[in-house]
Structure formats: structure tokens, C-alpha cells
């Protein structure tokens, strides 16, 4: 199911849709480029996808569909040029939270509508879900471009009261940002 579309001319057409196991090969290649780039820390979910291998990622995409995790892809024609994922959690104290992870757009497509279309899909899904009150995103410490990107979409830095304000995990150190859904 297509979520959004943008066309500059008859030669270029971007579309965003939810990924399935049929997109596994392209998704695996995109995730591999993110990890290989190695400029910033990568979320554990993404690292696990790459470690699962080409066949394992197809299984993960099918499991995501079955368990309510959404993974969207931005396509230029038949080429996957970006992806974003959203898992949902419920906490007694905070209510429903959308957890944004794995946002990546190929360098050539940064600054095009691909990023905006992916974020529109994320925010749009959360807005339709009356149980989700906020979206939480992790951003690698030092990834200033990623932080600015999230802030353009209404995310604000969170002050964590533990661990010096950041969380160091297996993949690196992350700051957290959040935005209300409404």
C-alpha cells in the first residue's frame, strides 16, 4: 500500500510504502550501506537486521508485519533509497509511545522529499492511533545532521535523569529526542 508520492518530472518519482519480506534483498542492501558507512553509531535493531543476513532479514520483515512494527521504504522507481521504522510500546506512566528507529536515506537523496515522505508516514500513523501520545527517537551522539533532521519534524531533546543524559549501548552512545503526536 502506497503512503505518499512525489514527482519532479516524468524521469523521477518518489513513493513511500510499507516494506514486506518481498523487499528483503533491497532492504538488506540499504541497511548494509548504513552500517558500512560507520560514521555514527547504529541502533541495535539495525545492527541485528544486518547480522541476520539476507535471508534472516526477510523473516524479520514478516515478523514486523505480524507484530505491529512498521517499516517504510522510500523508492525512486524500483530502487529503495531510504527507510524508517516505528515500533510501539505502552507504558503505564507515559501511555503509548512510538519508537522511531533506523531512519536512513542514501546520501544522494538527502534534501529531496524522500526524508519528508518517510517522516510523514511515521507521524501520520501515530496521529491515527489514539493510544500513541508521543514519538521517541534515538540519535547517535555527534550526529548533528540527524539531530537537526529530527528537530525539523518537531522532535526536542529529552533530558535523561540517568547516565549523564545519554545512554551508551552495544552500538554506541545515543541521545534521545521526542515529539508529541498531536
Amino acid at each position: 500500500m502506497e503512503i505518499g508520492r512525489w514527482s519532479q518530472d516524468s524521469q523521477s518519482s518518489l513513493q513511500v510504502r510499507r516494506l514486506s519480506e518481498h523487499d528483503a534483498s533491497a532492504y538488506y542492501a540499504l541497511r548494509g550501506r548504513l552500517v558500512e558507512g560507520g560514521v555514527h553509531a547504529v541502533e541495535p535493531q539495525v545492527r541485528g537486521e544486518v547480522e541476520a543476513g539476507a535471508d534472516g532479514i526477510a523473516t524479520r520483515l514478516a515478523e514486523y508485519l505480524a507484530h505491529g512494527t512498521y517499516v517504510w521504504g522510500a523508492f525512486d522507481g524500483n530502487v529503495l533509497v531510504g527507510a524508517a521504522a516505528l515500533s510501539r510500546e505502552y507504558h503505564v506512566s507515559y501511555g503509548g509511545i512510538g519508537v522511531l528507529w533506523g531512519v536512513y536515506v542514501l546520501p544522494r537523496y538527502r534534501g529531496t522529499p524522500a526524508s519528508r515522505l518517510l517522516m510523514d508516514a511515521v507521524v501520520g500513523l501515530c496521529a491515527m492511533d489514539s493510544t500513541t501520545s508521543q514519538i521517541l527517537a534515538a540519535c547517535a551522539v555527534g550526529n548533528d545532521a540527524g539531530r537537526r533532521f529530527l528537530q525539523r519534524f518537531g522532535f526536542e531533546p529529552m533530558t535523561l535523569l540517568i547516565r549523564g543524559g545519554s545512554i551508551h549501548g552495544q552500538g554506541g552512545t545515543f541521545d534521545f529526542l521526542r515529539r508529541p503526536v498531536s
Side-chain angles (χ1 to χ4, degrees), residues 100 119 135-137 150-151 153-157 177-179:
L100 176 65
M119 292 302 289
I135 306 170
L136 180 69
L150 290 167
Q151 288 175 320
F153 289 94
F155 285 82
E156 297 179 357
L177 296 91
R178 70 175 166 203
R179 69 157 279 168

Side-chain angles (χ1 to χ4, degrees), residues 33-80:
R33 290 198 52 187
L34 168 61
V35 171
E36 286 171 10
V39 176
H40 299 289
V42 177
E43 295 109 322
Q45 300 96 317
V46 174
R47 190 166 301 286
E49 288 175 336
V50 173
E51 289 171 358
D55 294 331
I57 210 164
T59 302
R60 286 195 180 212
L61 283 168
E63 289 171 354
Y64 293 157
L65 284 169
H67 295 12
T69 292
Y70 287 74
V71 181
W72 292 274
F75 290 85
D76 185 359
N78 292 325
V79 178
L80 181 63

Side-chain angles (χ1 to χ4, degrees), residues 80-156:
L80 181 63
V81 301
L86 181 85
S87 301
R88 291 182 281 184
E89 298 180 8
Y90 184 82
H91 296 273
V92 174
S93 300
Y94 306 107
I97 297 174
V99 179
L100 176 65
W101 57 273
V103 178
Y104 180 71
V105 175
L106 293 174
R108 176 177 171 224
Y109 288 88
R110 294 177 189 162
T112 72
S115 302
R116 181 185 50 79
L117 290 169
L118 286 166
M119 292 302 289
D120 286 350
V122 168
V123 173
L125 175 72
C126 291
M128 290 187 318
D129 178 5
S130 62
T131 65
T132 302
S133 61
Q134 60 185 320
I135 306 170
L136 180 69
C139 187
V141 168
N143 185 353
D144 296 332
R147 179 184 295 272
R148 285 190 305 273
F149 169 76
L150 290 167
Q151 288 175 320
R152 279 196 305 273
F153 289 94
F155 285 82
E156 297 179 357

